[in-house]
Amino acid sequence: MGSLSQLPRLYTFRRCPYAMRARMAMLQAGRDFEAVEVSLRDKPASLLALSPKGTVPVLQLPEGSVIEESWDIMRWALDEPDLQGWWARAQSPENLNLVKRNDGDFKRHLDRWKYPQRYANETLAPDAHRDSAVDVLLRPLETRLHGAPYLGGATPCATDLAVLPFVRQFAAVDPDWFAALNLPSVRSWLNGWLIHPLFTACMHKLPVEGVNRFPPL
């Protein structure tokens, strides 16, 4: 067990879906790490020095290299050694396509439904973005999950962790409307993850800023 100075340092924000999936991957892989909870209104100079774009998550490795994208952080955490296949199962064309849909069109539609005030010049109404989000990701997700409990099949994989935080965010915009959708497999999958020890550990609340050893799973 290394000292704090020898551990990877993850700059994170508790409610950010990109940071959630990075934290879950680190926890699932059993990676010891320390975390800095970033105030988005007052980003620490240490974060901006590592990554001028200033978005989380950012992972600084002990030798000084920096990983700035959440999917790359997940790869670093899970890929070597991938003893349980969490990363390998995520590399199928179907799973890679789901992540591409999630990070692309689904996220774009989600933002325009959840934060319509930020997109005042949009030609589509917020509800149209909501419905498009369902079509682009949630219906394909329902089809996949109808045949297996996880996107990794009988057991989860990195794709489950990558997509989950965004589906959670989508469901929380209008819970009653989401509950009425004909997506029983997606709801069962989501609800199972929301009480999963990996997710609850990932959502441990940290003090704002400061360096904290992140609690083990």
Side-chain angles (χ1 to χ4, degrees):
M1 190 74 69
S3 67
L4 285 178
S5 62
Q6 297 171 314
L7 293 177
R9 178 175 295 182
L10 183 70
Y11 289 84
T12 183
F13 177 61
R14 185 172 181 266
R15 297 196 307 273
C16 170
Y18 295 103
M20 285 180 198
R21 66 190 190 185
R23 295 195 305 270
M24 283 191 287
M26 296 282 282
L27 289 167
Q28 173 57 38
R31 301 281 187 179
D32 293 326
F33 69 103
E34 58 191 29
V36 176
E37 178 74 7
V38 172
S39 169
L40 300 185
R41 294 181 180 178
D42 186 19
K43 297 174 183 177
S46 56
L47 168 63
L48 297 175
L50 294 173
S51 177
K53 64 188 180 72
T55 58
V56 294
V58 169
L59 183 67
Q60 182 182 23
L61 300 181
E63 80 279 5
S65 59
V66 175
I67 307 176
E68 298 183 78
E69 299 295 336
S70 59
W71 186 247
D72 293 334
I73 293 172
M74 296 181 75
R75 177 189 295 114
W76 178 87
L78 293 165
D79 192 18
E80 294 181 13
D82 188 15
L83 299 178
Q84 297 179 351
W86 278 69
W87 185 253
R89 289 191 296 276
Q91 303 313 302
S92 70
E94 295 82 7
N95 277 342
L96 291 172
N97 180 259
L98 279 177
V99 173
K100 182 179 179 180
R101 285 171 174 261
N102 179 84
D103 291 11
D105 286 343
F106 181 74
K107 179 65 164 62
R108 184 171 61 84
H109 291 306
L110 167 59
D111 285 347
R112 285 157 178 76
W113 180 40
K114 182 177 174 64
Y115 307 109
Q117 68 279 8
R118 298 182 185 175
Y119 301 97
N121 296 325
E122 275 291 314
T123 55
L124 289 179
D127 286 358
H129 285 292
R130 175 199 67 187
D131 296 343
S132 292
V134 172
D135 290 339
V136 78
L137 181 71
L138 298 187
R139 297 205 190 283
L141 200 58
E142 177 70 21
T143 300
R144 284 287 308 282
L145 293 170
H146 183 71
Y150 300 104
L151 297 174
T155 52
C157 71
T159 312
D160 293 273
L161 305 186
V163 173
L164 161 68
F166 297 87
V167 177
R168 170 186 178 269
Q169 190 178 66
F170 183 87
V173 178
D174 189 341
D176 292 339
W177 177 86
F178 183 80
L181 288 174
N182 184 26
L183 298 172
S185 300
V186 170
R187 274 195 302 278
S188 177
W189 171 84
L190 175 62
N191 291 336
W193 275 112
L194 293 181
I195 60 172
H196 194 285
L198 182 61
F199 181 75
T200 57
C202 143
M203 295 303 287
H204 176 81
K205 193 168 186 178
L206 292 171
V208 176
E209 299 186 8
V211 178
N212 299 272
R213 181 68 171 267
F214 204 77
L217 180 61

